[in-house]
Amino acid sequence: MNTFVIDPHADVAPYEQLRRQLIEQITAGQLPAETRLPAVRRLAAELALAPGTVARAYKELEAEGYLETRGRNGTVVASPAVNDPTVQAQRITAEYVTTMLSLGYDAKAIQERVLNALTGS
């Protein structure tokens, strides 16, 4: 089932590589709603990662609305609120901020870029 590839030599952190690949597969429909994901420890072993790395990716994706944790029943792909603009805006904003942070920008620099984009500066 493992269709994730982590490059240990990439400039992008392993948790972020996994996070991005999960988002791509979810948005492309390769991982439809209610798909159960591998347990953190199992996926970590398959990818030769620390369990905390996989847990971080899952946790961030849950906060962004992509995943849902159901305790002993595991982690599943969340049902998207396709027509809910608030959920869409939240997801897009979270993706943007996470990407900018991974590029080394701090909160102030991110805010400045957003303000510049809004004002056309």
Side-chain angles (χ1 to χ4, degrees), residues 1-6 14-15 17-19 21-22 25 31 36-59 61 67 75:
M1 178 189 167
N2 177 7
T3 58
F4 307 109
V5 178
I6 304 300
Y15 85 90
Q17 292 179 51
L18 177 59
R19 183 186 153 282
Q21 289 176 49
L22 279 162
Q25 291 185 20
L31 289 173
R36 187 171 178 182
L37 298 179
V40 167
R41 290 186 189 277
R42 189 173 116 219
L43 185 56
E46 288 177 15
L47 297 174
L49 296 172
T53 300
V54 175
R56 181 175 178 184
Y58 278 16
K59 182 179 178 180
L61 289 169
L67 301 180
T75 301

Side-chain angles (χ1 to χ4, degrees), residues 9 19 21-22 27 29 37 42-44 46-47 56-57 64 69 82 89 93-95 103 118-120:
H9 305 293
R19 183 186 153 282
Q21 289 176 49
L22 279 162
T27 57
L37 298 179
R42 189 173 116 219
L43 185 56
E46 288 177 15
L47 297 174
R56 181 175 178 184
E64 295 169 16
T69 301
V82 176
T93 303
E95 289 175 20
L103 292 172
L118 289 170
T119 60

Side-chain angles (χ1 to χ4, degrees), residues 13-109:
Y15 85 90
E16 182 63 18
Q17 292 179 51
L18 177 59
R19 183 186 153 282
R20 289 178 185 179
Q21 289 176 49
L22 279 162
I23 289 172
E24 287 172 13
Q25 291 185 20
I26 291 167
T27 57
Q30 295 169 332
L31 289 173
E34 300 299 317
T35 299
R36 187 171 178 182
L37 298 179
V40 167
R41 290 186 189 277
R42 189 173 116 219
L43 185 56
E46 288 177 15
L47 297 174
L49 296 172
T53 300
V54 175
R56 181 175 178 184
Y58 278 16
K59 182 179 178 180
E60 288 191 11
L61 289 169
E62 184 176 14
E64 295 169 16
Y66 288 103
L67 301 180
E68 194 177 304
T69 301
R70 296 181 177 167
R72 291 182 160 247
N73 293 321
T75 301
V76 299
V77 175
S79 298
V82 176
N83 297 317
D84 184 346
T86 301
V87 172
Q88 290 175 349
Q90 201 170 17
R91 186 174 290 165
I92 291 166
T93 303
E95 289 175 20
Y96 174 74
V97 169
T98 301
T99 301
M100 294 298 283
L101 290 170
S102 73
L103 292 172
Y105 291 94
D106 63 12
K108 184 177 179 181

